[in-house]
Amino acid sequence: MKQLTLYITLSALAAALWGCAAGSRNAAGGELTGVGASTWTEPTPYGMVLVSRGSIKAGPQEADSVWGTRPDAHGVSVDAFWMDETEVTNAEYKQFVYWVRDSIIRERLADPAYGGNEEYKIEEDRDGNPIEPRLNWNKPIPWRNADEDELRAIQSLYRTNPITGVAELDPEQLTYRYEVYNQTEAVKRKYRRDPRRRVLNTDLEPDNTVPTITKDTAWIDDDGQIIRRTITRPLTGEYDFLNTYIVSVYPDTTAWVNDFDNAYNEPYVRLYFSHGGYNDYPVVGVSWEQANAFAAWRTAFLKRSIGREGIYIEPYRLPTEAEWEYAARAGVSENKYPWEGDLPLTEEKGCFYANFKPQEGNYVQDGHVITSRVGTYAPNDFGLYDMAGNVSEWTSTAFTESVSKLKSDLNPEYRYDAAPDDPYRLKRKIVRGGSWKDVAHNIRSDIRMWEYQNEQRSFIGFRCVRTNIGFAKGQKQNKPNRK
């Protein structure tokens, strides 16, 4: 009787599942009609432009003996993605810095060493069940009416400037911890748990050796120092592809002095990131590592605002070199710049298309000494601003002399996550677009440059992208305006 009951139950379950799968397609007569999946159209992310899929001849197409440029044109195709219409500004990056500041203060307000106010940390759900502790962002920080313990918690994140005596944020304490799941590595055949599925050639015996993986991890030691390690160990499961990073988030404001010998740039050190007059200027002094941390925070911030567990969204990230060049050249292989023609200014009116250095020492000829407000100049035909000049921009792509030969022609990307003890030359990343300090040649969209991933320069910033999901047939695509 138990077996009969079990059979009836399983039969009923099978019928129910079949009904769910085929019912919506009227699969009468046993015909193959297919099983649909839910679809959705992603709303336009705030401040971003949709760059539709397309193809160009990337890289310089002509030799230039003056600059030592060799032809390196190669066809590439990229799928659709969203891109920030401007470079990330001081105000936008400051939102990240202040979020990190406020999260650390809330952690300390909940710490028994500073009074232990449990209202700043949520450890139970509405039904009283224990959950993974998280900060309570609905509980405001008592900036004006703090008691003695709360005041100590807040002031612990500040230091007194020994020269001016003014309290200021302590950059060394402003660290952001995040995790990134490396799906690209996780799905490779060589890491499959079943040895028979690693190599599909049936003439070969399965290799039962447990694969080894490399994993990035990080922690803060007892002296408050960030320790980074890349460890190698036998594969135990998918968790091994989850990498942990801890990054200091405050920009290096001293880059204005350290990038230029024998120059009086001290006012920029004091004011460029902190003064409201520069809110809409591109953030600089941010390393490739910090730019990645910002993108990870921006993704997590969006997920929290959605307020739904288990929902997947495409993450914010740095653009690949191919995505950046395709977007900058507005999908036109003949464009050396984000606009049509070979010059960064109109010959008739002498109007500049970008913020760069037109002549030796004459930074102001284009109307600016250093950076300019984002969006000051006209956008390219894709609606993207400052894709040439203003600040150079980090890409996700690693640099090596043969990078063009290492990449695929479909969504090209060369990724190398350098370990802390790797040679320094393996820590180079590609930057694009040129900056306010560069001459016209160096702001070309087809020219590749590089910088070390931990360098913080007064002329390098970044912008983010997100892969576009649900690209619908017939969706309007970017097309260059060839008037």
Side-chain angles (χ1 to χ4, degrees), residues 4 9 21 38 60 75 126 197 226 254 259 273 288 297 320 373 377 381 413 424 448 456 461 467 478:
L4 178 60
T9 303
S38 60
R126 295 178 179 178
R197 300 185 63 230
I226 299 173
T254 68
D259 286 343
F273 185 66
W288 180 87
W297 165 80
T320 66
R373 281 187 174 87
Y377 299 89
D381 287 336
E413 172 69 325
Y424 199 37
R448 172 186 294 135
Q456 298 160 292
T467 300
N478 304 101

Side-chain angles (χ1 to χ4, degrees), residues 163-355:
I163 306 301
T164 64
V166 176
E168 58 188 18
L169 275 172
D170 183 359
E172 295 184 4
Q173 296 190 60
L174 295 175
T175 59
Y176 180 65
R177 180 186 184 275
Y178 68 100
E179 295 178 329
V180 174
Y181 180 67
N182 190 344
Q183 188 171 17
T184 301
E185 287 296 302
V187 301
K188 289 183 176 179
R189 287 177 178 169
K190 65 181 180 179
Y191 294 128
R192 289 176 176 173
R193 303 297 296 276
D194 185 350
R196 295 168 297 181
R197 300 185 63 230
R198 294 178 196 154
V199 178
L200 301 183
N201 187 343
T202 54
D203 293 338
L204 302 176
E205 288 293 324
D207 183 2
N208 294 315
T209 305
V210 177
T212 57
I213 58 95
T214 58
K215 173 184 173 69
D216 291 335
T217 187
W219 66 92
I220 297 178
D221 66 12
D222 294 337
D223 296 325
Q225 299 297 311
I226 299 173
I227 307 298
R228 268 198 61 200
R229 293 287 184 270
T230 298
I231 59 177
T232 302
R233 70 183 188 195
L235 176 66
T236 61
E238 289 191 65
Y239 182 81
D240 291 328
F241 299 100
L242 191 66
N243 299 277
T244 302
Y245 301 97
I246 300 177
V247 177
S248 296
V249 302
Y250 206 85
D252 182 8
T253 58
T254 68
W256 291 101
V257 167
N258 290 303
D259 286 343
F260 300 94
D261 292 331
N262 303 317
Y264 181 66
N265 290 333
E266 289 182 19
Y268 305 139
V269 174
R270 295 190 297 270
L271 301 175
Y272 186 81
F273 185 66
S274 61
H275 194 281
Y278 289 105
N279 279 345
D280 297 327
Y281 286 64
V283 68
V284 297
V286 173
S287 69
W288 180 87
E289 296 163 349
Q290 290 174 311
N292 277 288
F294 175 89
W297 165 80
R298 193 173 173 182
T299 303
F301 193 67
L302 178 61
K303 287 181 177 179
R304 279 189 294 270
S305 67
I306 293 173
R308 291 176 57 189
E309 297 292 336
I311 188 172
Y312 175 80
I313 63 169
E314 282 293 327
Y316 289 97
R317 55 183 175 82
L318 292 179
T320 66
E321 180 189 29
E323 288 173 332
W324 192 98
E325 183 171 342
Y326 173 75
R329 297 170 75 174
V332 180
S333 299
E334 292 75 26
N335 284 356
K336 293 180 181 178
Y337 294 95
W339 50 84
E340 187 178 2
D342 291 344
L343 293 174
L345 71 161
T346 58
E347 295 181 359
E348 301 82 7
K349 299 181 180 179
C351 297
F352 289 93
Y353 291 151
N355 178 14

Side-chain angles (χ1 to χ4, degrees), residues 84-150:
D84 284 333
E85 62 179 351
T86 70
E87 293 144 342
V88 172
T89 64
N90 282 322
E92 291 168 334
Y93 193 84
K94 206 175 295 183
Q95 185 178 353
F96 174 39
V97 172
Y98 285 177
W99 185 94
V100 171
R101 177 201 66 182
D102 293 353
S103 66
I104 295 173
I105 289 176
R106 281 185 167 84
E107 285 281 2
R108 293 182 183 177
L109 288 169
D111 188 336
Y114 296 97
N117 190 337
E118 298 178 354
E119 294 183 24
Y120 285 98
K121 210 161 198 179
I122 301 172
E123 299 183 353
E124 296 180 348
D125 61 19
R126 295 178 179 178
D127 299 325
N129 300 313
I131 59 173
E132 183 178 353
R134 64 175 185 267
L135 294 178
N136 180 10
W137 286 89
N138 293 323
K139 176 70 173 174
I141 295 173
W143 296 105
R144 298 181 180 276
N145 55 350
D147 61 29
E148 184 177 346
D149 287 330
E150 292 170 338

Side-chain angles (χ1 to χ4, degrees), residues 52-55 76-81 320 322-323 326 409-412:
S52 298
R53 59 192 174 194
S55 176
V76 301
S77 296
V78 295
D79 213 334
F81 57 95
T320 66
E323 288 173 332
Y326 173 75
D409 57 2
L410 172 63
N411 294 319

Side-chain angles (χ1 to χ4, degrees), residues 403-423:
V403 65
S404 293
K405 297 179 175 61
L406 294 173
K407 296 186 296 184
S408 169
D409 57 2
L410 172 63
N411 294 319
E413 172 69 325
Y414 174 65
R415 175 174 172 173
Y416 184 78
D417 297 324
D421 55 353
D422 273 343

